[in-house]
Amino acid sequence: MANRVTLDHIAQHVGVSKTLVSLVLNGKAQQYGISRQTCDRVFAAVKELNYRPNQTARSLRTGKTGTIGLVVSDISNTFYAQLARQFEDLATANGYSVFICSTDEDVEKEQRLITMLRNRQVDGLVVSSSQSNAEWLMAINDSGTPLVLIDRHLGASTLTAVVAANRNGGALLANQLFEQGYRHPLVIGLSTNHISSVAERIEGFVEVFKGKGQTCAIREVGFNTLQPDVHSLLANPKLLPFKPDCLFAVNNNVATAALQSLAAMRVKIPNELGLVCFDDLPYFSIIEPTITAVEQPIAAMCGKAFELLQLKMVGDSVEVSQGILELPVKLNIRRSSLKKSK
Amino acid sequence: MANRVTLDHIAQHVGVSKTLVSLVLNGKAQQYGISRQTCDRVFAAVKELNYRPNQTARSLRTGKTGTIGLVVSDISNTFYAQLARQFEDLATANGYSVFICSTDEDVEKEQRLITMLRNRQVDGLVVSSSQSNAEWLMAINDSGTPLVLIDRHLGASTLTAVVAANRNGGALLANQLFEQGYRHPLVIGLSTNHISSVAERIEGFVEVFKGKGQTCAIREVGFNTLQPDVHSLLANPKLLPFKPDCLFAVNNNVATAALQSLAAMRVKIPNELGLVCFDDLPYFSIIEPTITAVEQPIAAMCGKAFELLQLKMVGDSVEVSQGILELPVKLNIRRSSLKKSK
DNA sequence: AAAAAAAACTAAATCGATTTAGTAACAAAT
DNA sequence: ATTTGTTACTAAATCGATTTAGTTTTTTTT
């Protein structure tokens, strides 16, 4: 019902074969020596009948759908929303459309979604995976489906991955806190700590303090129970080995939850408690105090990921660089970590 | 390369026709009297050969792709990101995948994207349109492509639309401000003021003050120059007919830009200037002062939009309710509009 | 024993494009 | 006069499913 006009209709209307119409519309007129007049008549018919090519039919024949699957944990998370937007722009500019899927950090859901996307014959996949080992995705990669990991890598696998310098970012934040005189950090991680990004942020952070002879308390909160978990953590200091003088929120959602609890408890930042966060959010530079954060190179990550994916998709047997590509992060120092200043 | 195994392979492996395999896999075995043993052998082969159906081929034959296009102005805007997430969940639960597209409030881009989605044979479209009249979309609707507008409607057209109670929301905010003693509001709208949501929010707001004998200053800022426009507006009071005592930010981005400027200018909210916003954001209940905002019924809007779209998609000639469906909003009163309290 | 019914399947058409392997008509070269 | 080459096209196969319209074999009914 939606699309009545086909190549055949155009062909009949003009009085030529549908082969010719197809060739003309695909810009192969010159190559096949089709006369200018005929081309013009085809174009005129296309306009007159308002022909729109059926991409499904074309995809079946060519084996290319012009679609890419983008799989993240939650598209409503500002970080992934921004990433999706950047990626969408690149994809659209290159003639691709993007399926966006949220996994909620659920491995089985991730696998179901990826299988579904492959059944839809996506030309490529960009995945921020929640899986703990590379096997399953490796099989997909080896089966020939172009795949690029983003934001998170999967250990020493040879899967192509584009990530932020998470370890370095964690270290930058730790150094900033230490310089400002903070000595007893509480690291709030996620129960999905096996995920490379989170793990490395924490490692980078903890290493610095360890190097200065200080220990960090590390606690995890659940992805689906973030708010209450963070709150009970902050409200019950007896659960910790010591009273922390600063907080490291391992991503933007953890930071927002912490800020909410701390506001309710009327804890004064940065003096009673310092706060730093991995991921920058627009509101971090608005609120009082402004929040020190590591900003991820979202545009660069998308750019690189798309570039690598496209190399794999055109697949001229170019050997695409495998392994992990790490892009530099930026430390935005703001008042939430400035103890001295007061 | 991605998908080697086809129905034919299964058929040969089992020693039956591909018709039979198709019937079995589509659950029509009973109906076609196919024996249990044969079914089992088919299932076994599917598992053994790791068969995944080619959705493109299926779509070509059935005329259904199981895809929906979601077109919004910017997926990185928190409001649309949340909306997309809710919609994605509904779609996925019903076997659909979602293409998400951002228009940047550019009418031509919107039309290009929608045309592209139609060429991809999406089963339905959900659009938050930037267009100023209904004609173009009407043609699409009439051509039989299931279409539901969301967040914004297009005047008196008979296009199905699901929107928030924007006018009422604007009025709620105005009443709140007036009750608290504010008398001289500055309304910060968008240069895309023709858009129904923005227009109605402003109308609802202004009407209330007019009813009390007060005038509002109304100014517009550009979608792509939001931050600087808002800043110059707030930094140059001489451009206004009077010195405002409160601000109405017409959406979340405007509010964030305003907060940024006001923080830089060290303006005290709510006493020097009251502030209310249409759209609620997580950080509004964290910052000092907390921000009074109207919360949109995102889940309900998605639920209704999907429901209506699905009715149109199955298209059993059920007459789907046309026109505008308005869902109630919620006023979250917080400190940014509480003059009295101080 | 013939006809009808039921059970268990299959051949071929179809969706709407792209692509391969041609053909027909005419001019130019040998 | 035959071959070669160009120009301007086309018939038919193909992608991988679904669906229509059967067919064959066996069983049941009359």
Side-chain angles (χ1 to χ4, degrees), chain A residues 9-54:
Chain A
H9 294 126
I10 303 290
Q12 277 178 31
H13 191 262
V14 177
V16 294
S17 71
K18 64 174 171 179
T19 303
L20 185 143
V21 177
S22 172
L23 293 173
V24 169
L25 294 183
N26 287 293
K28 299 184 182 160
Q30 201 107 47
Q31 178 185 340
Y32 279 79
I34 293 162
S35 72
R36 177 149 298 284
Q37 300 101 288
T38 311
C39 286
D40 289 347
R41 279 159 63 219
V42 168
F43 288 130
V46 162
K47 187 143 287 179
E48 185 183 343
L49 303 185
N50 189 27
Y51 169 74
R52 288 179 302 107
N54 182 320

Side-chain angles (χ1 to χ4, degrees), chain A residues 93-104:
Chain A
N94 287 274
Y96 292 93
S97 295
V98 184
F99 288 115
I100 296 181
C101 300
S102 302
T103 66
D104 287 318

Side-chain angles (χ1 to χ4, degrees), chain B residues 6-7 19 22 28 51 54 61:
Chain B
T6 71
L7 266 195
T19 303
S22 173
K28 300 185 180 158
Y51 170 73
N54 183 320
R61 182 63 235 248

Side-chain angles (χ1 to χ4, degrees), chain A residues 85-96 299 301-307 310:
Chain A
R85 179 59 212 271
Q86 301 274 355
F87 194 83
E88 182 204 328
D89 284 352
L90 288 167
T92 304
N94 287 274
Y96 292 93
M301 283 165 69
C302 287
K304 213 58 191 156
F306 185 80
E307 184 189 310
Q310 204 166 31

Side-chain angles (χ1 to χ4, degrees), chain B residues 67-205:
Chain B
T67 60
I68 295 173
L70 176 61
V71 179
V72 299
S73 67
D74 180 11
I75 187 61
S76 71
N77 176 323
T78 305
F79 170 69
Y80 291 115
Q82 290 177 351
L83 189 142
R85 179 59 212 272
Q86 301 275 354
F87 194 83
E88 181 203 329
D89 285 352
L90 288 167
T92 304
N94 287 275
Y96 292 93
S97 295
V98 184
F99 287 116
I100 297 181
C101 300
S102 302
T103 66
D104 287 317
E105 307 283 8
D106 175 337
V107 175
E108 278 181 32
K109 192 171 174 189
E110 176 182 326
Q111 296 186 349
R112 275 203 309 277
L113 289 168
I114 289 177
T115 299
M116 185 258 283
L117 290 168
R118 295 181 77 208
N119 291 355
R120 291 196 185 286
Q121 314 297 122
V122 292
D123 294 341
L125 283 169
V126 174
V127 180
S128 172
S129 176
S130 306
Q131 309 201 41
S132 44
N133 65 67
E135 264 175 64
W136 196 85
L137 286 168
M138 206 61 160
I140 283 171
N141 186 66
D142 294 345
S143 84
T145 302
L147 170 67
V148 171
L149 300 182
I150 197 162
D151 173 49
R152 307 165 174 185
H153 63 73
L154 285 175
S157 77
T158 53
L159 289 168
T160 305
V162 179
V163 302
N166 288 295
R167 193 180 302 269
N168 177 242
L172 290 171
L173 292 171
N175 273 315
Q176 159 67 14
L177 286 173
F178 189 87
E179 272 175 25
Q180 290 289 321
Y182 294 100
R183 292 293 180 269
H184 306 292
L186 167 59
V187 176
I188 311 188
L190 292 161
S191 56
T192 49
N193 262 353
H194 66 276
I195 288 169
S196 71
S197 56
V198 173
E200 293 176 2
R201 288 167 197 181
I202 295 179
E203 285 166 20
F205 185 95

